[in-house]
Amino acid sequence: MRTSPQNSGGEQGRRKNAPKIFLKYMKKKLALTFFLVALALFGLAVAVAVIGQRDGADYSRTVLAQQTYTSDIIPFKRGEITDRNGTVLATNEAVYNLILDPSVITSDENILNPTLDALVECYGYDRAELEALLNEDPNAQYIRYERRMSEESRDKFLAKQEEVNNNMEIKDKIDGVWFETEYKRIYPYSTLACDLIGFSSEDGTTGSYGIEQYYNDDLAGVDGRRYGSFNEDSDAENVTRDAIDGNTVVSTIDVNLQSIIEEQIRLFNENVGSENTAVIVMDPNNGEVLAMASYPYYDLNNPSDLTVSGYYTNEEIAAMNDEETTEALNEIWKNFITQTTYEPGSTAKPLTIAAGLEEGKLSTTDTYLCDGGEEVAGSYIGCHNLAGHGMLDVQGAIVESCNDALMHIGWQIGKEVFCKYQPIFGLGERTGIDLPGEETGILQNEEAMTDVDLATNSFGQNFNTTVIQMAAAYCSIINGGNYYTPHVVREILSPDGSVVQSMEATLVRETVSESTSEFLKTAMLAMVDNQTTYSTAIAGYEIGGKTGTAEKQPRSDNTYVVSFCSFVPASDPEYFMMVVIDEPNVEDQSSGGYATSLTHDLWTQIIPYLNLFPTRSTDGTETETAATQSVLQQPESQAADGGNEAGGEEADPGAEGEADAAAEAEADPQNGAE
């Protein structure tokens, strides 16, 4: 059918307009799409920028790790530990891990055979074992074959490699073997100050016991890393993040003083012996620990070797199972001075008297009758002198170490004052010394304290303290009344030697007045001057001191801890020393002569080293005739018999009432049993 011209023209008009409408629509759609894509790209760019700013380093390491052809750890050096004068007590030695690269070694016969030959020649390795390992994964690039080789062993192989590789007349080459550096912890003095230093893990990241543990965050560093990767042009690039070495810890210890006390402890244990012998030397005017040691000891370079201490026989060690071995090691590693509690005995008497003087409950002129002991709540508690000391004033009670007088003083001041002052002297709570695992001790509760408890507590029985608690308390009562936190570290230095932190003396509180301090120093000087058998006195020097003997739980075992606290010069103390001997290997353990005699031997060595000048005349007969013969050279029976004559040393409770007193002690759940 023919279309009329009119209709034909309208259709053509519509066809002419359609492309225009379509193009306009598409332009709008394309513009919108372009805008949305641009917006998305902009958002993505912002997100990438934010992520790059925040996590760029991490992503860089991840990318580098994925593209790596090498990735080496750069080990940190653990910080050194030194004595107060810079003598190194703990340091590091470079050791080397032997690394095999099978992909290189197996790539050419001219490399494989000479390399295996060199390994066998230098180190005696099994060639068949090496070949099997290489063939197991010939494309591997990293096999750590031997760890912690010495520099000498490493250099032996490197010299062989240089010899072969520099020989231009042969095609053989040694390749595919390299050495990775690590650091091994070294203790130059082996057993010296082991209780105080502690030891670290093989990789140097973790310390155990002592300064190594307490200051681990300062001593440990951060490993670095060296990345080898390919850039977009396939060129090798290295990226290095340097290791951060640990800080140096400067201790308060004097290595020469430490050596002196450890040598004297060794001599004592060779001649007499004990379950544990401990010595601490402090500066009473700032709380610094100058030396600290106890027997048994261990080798810091090989802390798991029980044979070093001599405490166990080879037969005993061989018979131990794993649990027993672990228990034995923990006992060897434990610091007796800070981590073991004991009953202080008569070294606590000056603290009881100090509390009474401070509260005005007693006067230095008060007197007491010692008739050998007291009946207390149906139990007889005797003095070490069963015949009695007669009338004594307060100073005499210290000089004679009279239990009877101290019981009267304890009742005179009352349990409220007594219990108030024990924590003031730092007993029953941690001193805060910068060593791990410090014990607190066990004190009698005021509400539950009986007359018997007060009587025995007054002369140092039936409550537990640590050696460091008693040492810190004594330092306060002889320095004018200032209680300082004991500490074993002076300062921390950065790897470049700059000071990171200085440990200043920390004054915690005032324990006693100046007048009380002066009285106690005078009384304890008189105590030493009045010693007869096995005296601590040294001609020309004022030495103040106080003996201590405590019967351990259970009382029926007749085992004792003997101790002696002393200081020089007595009128203005510069040095304080405490000796504690736990269960001396003798029949009569209650003899105080062992502690006083060891103290004398120690001061005889220490005073010349410290260049202390005499503070009194040596012309008088009093100091010249003081006995200085060591108990170590005496027959056992003489040493034991002489102990109770040494300035009033006690064995409490008295023999006549020992069973009754022991029964009272056993009935108390807070009897301080170790």
Side-chain angles (χ1 to χ4, degrees), residues 208-222:
S208 297
Y209 294 89
I211 291 173
E212 290 277 28
Q213 179 175 335
Y214 194 91
Y215 287 94
N216 187 67
D217 289 347
D218 296 288
L219 291 164
V222 179

Side-chain angles (χ1 to χ4, degrees), residues 201-334:
S201 59
E202 189 177 81
D203 61 2
T205 59
T206 306
S208 297
Y209 294 89
I211 291 173
E212 290 277 28
Q213 179 175 335
Y214 194 91
Y215 287 94
N216 187 67
D217 289 347
D218 296 288
L219 291 164
V222 179
D223 282 335
R225 186 172 284 275
R226 185 182 297 108
Y227 303 95
S229 60
F230 297 99
N231 61 20
E232 58 185 7
D233 297 322
S234 297
D235 295 327
E237 290 184 344
N238 286 323
V239 177
T240 301
R241 186 186 68 192
D242 292 331
I244 301 173
D245 293 335
N247 294 324
T248 294
V249 172
V250 180
S251 73
T252 59
I253 297 301
D254 183 315
V255 73
N256 294 310
L257 269 180
Q258 186 73 26
S259 298
I260 289 171
I261 69 172
E262 292 197 19
E263 174 63 12
Q264 291 302 314
I265 289 174
R266 183 187 66 80
L267 290 173
F268 175 83
N269 278 283
E270 285 181 358
N271 288 275
V272 180
S274 67
E275 281 294 304
N276 208 309
T277 304
V279 178
I280 183 171
V281 180
M282 294 180 64
D283 183 338
N285 301 301
N286 59 18
E288 288 187 348
V289 176
L290 306 177
M292 174 191 287
S294 66
Y295 171 88
Y297 48 81
Y298 63 93
D299 184 356
L300 292 168
N301 293 305
N302 190 10
S304 296
D305 185 358
L306 282 170
T307 65
V308 173
S309 69
Y311 195 72
Y312 300 98
T313 65
N314 290 331
E315 292 75 16
E316 288 173 330
I317 295 170
M320 292 178 183
N321 58 34
D322 290 345
E323 184 177 346
E324 290 169 337
T325 300
T326 300
E327 184 178 343
L329 286 171
N330 287 331
E331 283 299 312
I332 294 289
W333 296 336
K334 186 168 65 174

Side-chain angles (χ1 to χ4, degrees), residues 214-215 217-219 247-251 434 487 489-506:
Y214 194 91
Y215 287 94
D217 289 347
D218 296 288
L219 291 164
N247 294 324
T248 294
V249 172
V250 180
S251 73
D434 45 349
H487 59 284
V489 167
R490 300 186 81 183
E491 59 185 1
I492 297 173
L493 307 177
S494 68
D496 64 7
S498 59
V499 177
V500 175
Q501 184 179 1
S502 292
M503 281 57 174
E504 304 294 337
T506 303

Side-chain angles (χ1 to χ4, degrees), residues 343-350 352 381-383 401-408 410 418 452-463 546-550 555 650-654 661:
E343 295 182 49
S346 289
T347 53
K349 289 175 179 175
T352 302
I381 304 177
C383 186
S401 196
C402 179
N403 292 351
D404 199 346
L406 261 293
M407 285 189 278
H408 284 286
F418 182 86
V452 172
D453 294 330
L454 182 56
T456 56
N457 277 205
S458 68
F459 56 77
Q461 290 264 190
N462 288 330
F463 69 89
K546 182 69 193 76
T547 52
T549 299
R555 309 298 189 199
E650 76 291 1
D652 52 74

